[in-house]
Amino acid sequence: MRKRIGFLSFGHWQRAEWSQTRTAQDALAQTVELAVAAEELGVDGAFVRVHHFARQLSAPFPLLAAIGVRTSRIEIGTGVIDLRYENPLYMAEDAAVADLLGGGRLQLGVSRGSPEPAYRGFDAFGYAAPDGLDDAGFARAKLEIFMAAISGAGVVHADVGGLPGAAMLPVQPQSPGLAERIWWGSGSRDTAKWVGEIGLNMMSSTLLLEDTRFRSTSCRPSRSGSSATRGATPGTNASRGSR
Amino acid sequence: MSRSVIPITTDLDRQLFGRDANEDQVGWLDGAISRFGRTYSGEPDRIAAELAQDAAVAAADTLLLTVPNQLGVDYNARLLGTIVAHVAPAIGWSPTPPVPAGA
C-alpha cells in the first residue's frame, strides 16, 4: 500500500507580533491556501483539527468545503470532530454537502472528544447525554446514527396526513462512498480494539491518554494507539473500501 | 497517525525550533499522565533516518504532519516542501504522479 502524508493544522490565531494569523479570518483563509500549496507539492491530504471555545479551528464543514472547491486531488479531512458537540443528522447533511462539493475526497476523523477549555461545552450546545449514557457512550451512539444517515438509511418516518407513514426517509444529500471514509480517533487501547471490532478506520494521534509506550504487535486491532490504519478490519490486513 | 516533523534548514528554523526535541513529550492532561508522542526536529537527513525507525509511523498508512500554522503559508509550504523532498522518501513515501497534460 502506498504511504500517504498530509498536513494537520490546528488553525491557531492570536494577536502576537510574530503571528501571521492575527485573526480567525487569517487562520481560515491561510488553511485553504496551505491546502492549495500542499496539493501543488504532491502532498496527499489537508486535515484540520476541531476544537471548540478556543481561538482555533472549530466548525469544520465550511472550511472543508472551501478546500474542496480550491483543490482537485488531495484528501480533505478532520482530526478529529468531537461527536459530543454534533447533531448526527445535521452533521450527515453537512458532511455530504462538503464531500459532494469536493468530489468525494473527505476523510473524516471523529471521536468522543479530547480535554478542552470549556466545562461540558457540549451541554451548552444542547447535547447533554441522556440518562443512563456516559459522554463516551453518547458519542458512540451518535456515531451509529451518523453512519446510518450517511449510508442512506431511513432515519425518520414520512408524514402521511399528519401521521407517521411506513416509509422511512434518508437525509439528503447522500454522497456515495462517504461511509467508507470515516475514521475513529482513538486515544486509548480499549477504544482502538472497539474500532477494529466495528470495522471502522482508525486514526491515532500524538496523544495517548495513558502513559504507555507504543508497542508494535502483530495483532491488528490490538495495535492500540500505535498506528493509524486504514481498514482496521479485525483479523485482516486488507484495506477497507475506500480505494 | 500524527507527528510533528520540523526539518531545520535555515537560520529562522534554528531560531524557532533549534532545540533538539527528539523524545516523547509527557505531560499532565485530563488528570492523568498522557503521552503526546514525538516531535522530530533537526537536519533533514537525520530526522529522516529517525522517522524511518518509528514503528508507529511504519505501521500507519497515512502520516499527518502537524504544522505551526501561525508562521504563515509561505513558511509552512516551505516546511512541507522540505519534508516531501528530504524526509518523506525515507518512510516509503513518493509523490503522487502529476496528472499528464490533457488527461
Side-chain angles (χ1 to χ4, degrees):
Chain A
M1 181 186 300
R2 184 176 170 276
K3 183 86 79 182
R4 279 179 287 268
I5 60 171
F7 75 80
L8 174 68
S9 181
F10 298 0
H12 294 281
W13 69 90
Q14 68 179 103
R15 291 196 175 279
E17 192 184 337
W18 55 270
S19 173
Q20 302 292 309
T21 53
R22 304 284 178 91
T23 66
Q25 185 177 26
D26 291 341
L28 291 162
Q30 290 183 25
T31 303
V32 177
E33 295 306 323
L34 185 59
V36 172
E39 178 163 277
E40 289 169 358
L41 287 165
V43 167
D44 305 296
F47 287 73
V48 297
R49 198 172 73 164
V50 180
H51 271 198
H52 300 280
F53 297 111
R55 290 185 176 85
Q56 299 169 25
L57 302 174
S58 59
F61 291 107
L63 179 56
L64 298 177
I67 294 172
V69 299
R70 288 286 310 279
T71 58
S72 59
R73 176 186 60 79
I74 54 172
E75 296 181 342
I76 308 158
T78 53
V80 292
I81 295 169
D82 182 344
L83 286 175
R84 296 175 304 178
Y85 278 85
E86 299 293 329
N87 174 311
L89 298 186
Y90 191 83
M91 181 172 150
E93 292 182 349
D94 261 351
V97 168
D99 198 42
L100 290 168
L101 285 170
R105 289 180 286 131
L106 285 197
Q107 299 283 346
L108 291 181
V110 301
S111 81
R112 50 147 272 190
S114 56
E116 56 172 9
Y119 173 73
R120 301 190 63 82
F122 42 94
D123 283 0
F125 271 50
Y127 302 132
D131 287 346
L133 270 185
D134 62 12
D135 296 331
F138 192 32
R140 292 184 192 186
K142 287 189 194 180
L143 176 68
E144 290 177 13
I145 297 170
F146 173 72
M147 293 304 295
I150 62 173
S151 302
V155 292
V156 67
H157 290 280
D159 184 309
V160 181
L163 293 171
M168 300 294 287
L169 307 179
V171 298
Q172 297 293 349
Q174 290 285 319
S175 187
L178 177 59
E180 305 298 319
R181 289 178 273 117
I182 308 301
W183 301 61
W184 184 261
S186 173
S188 75
R189 293 163 183 280
D190 285 350
T191 342
K193 186 160 182 286
W194 170 74
V195 169
E197 285 164 2
I198 63 171
L200 277 185
N201 305 302
M202 193 183 97
M203 178 181 279
S204 75
S205 76
T206 51
L207 173 64
L208 191 63
L209 287 174
E210 353 165 3
D211 186 26
T212 324
R213 285 196 174 272
F214 291 148
R215 221 176 15 168
S216 287
T217 72
S218 58
C219 175
R220 170 151 297 251
S222 65
R223 278 208 289 202
S224 320
S226 73
S227 65
T229 303
R230 227 172 262 252
T233 310
T236 82
N237 273 334
S239 179
R240 175 175 167 276
S242 64
R243 63 194 67 228
Chain B
M1 167 56 55
S2 56
R3 289 282 185 259
S4 294
V5 178
I6 308 284
I8 308 287
T9 60
T10 67
D11 287 344
L12 178 60
D13 296 336
R14 206 160 286 116
Q15 190 183 331
L16 292 166
F17 300 106
R19 191 177 60 84
D20 278 353
N22 296 359
E23 291 179 353
D24 280 7
Q25 298 166 34
V26 178
W28 191 257
L29 191 63
D30 204 22
I33 294 283
S34 295
R35 188 167 291 277
F36 293 91
R38 295 189 80 164
T39 293
Y40 292 90
S41 68
E43 303 293 330
D45 288 352
R46 191 182 121 205
I47 57 179
E50 289 174 348
L51 208 55
Q53 300 299 313
D54 187 323
V57 169
D61 56 23
T62 302
L63 173 64
L64 296 183
L65 305 157
T66 55
V67 291
N69 78 286
Q70 287 180 98
L71 297 177
V73 175
D74 290 349
Y75 185 92
N76 281 291
R78 188 177 60 75
L79 181 150
L80 291 176
T82 303
I83 291 171
V84 161
H86 302 297
V87 178
I91 59 163
W93 179 84
S94 57
T96 303
V99 179

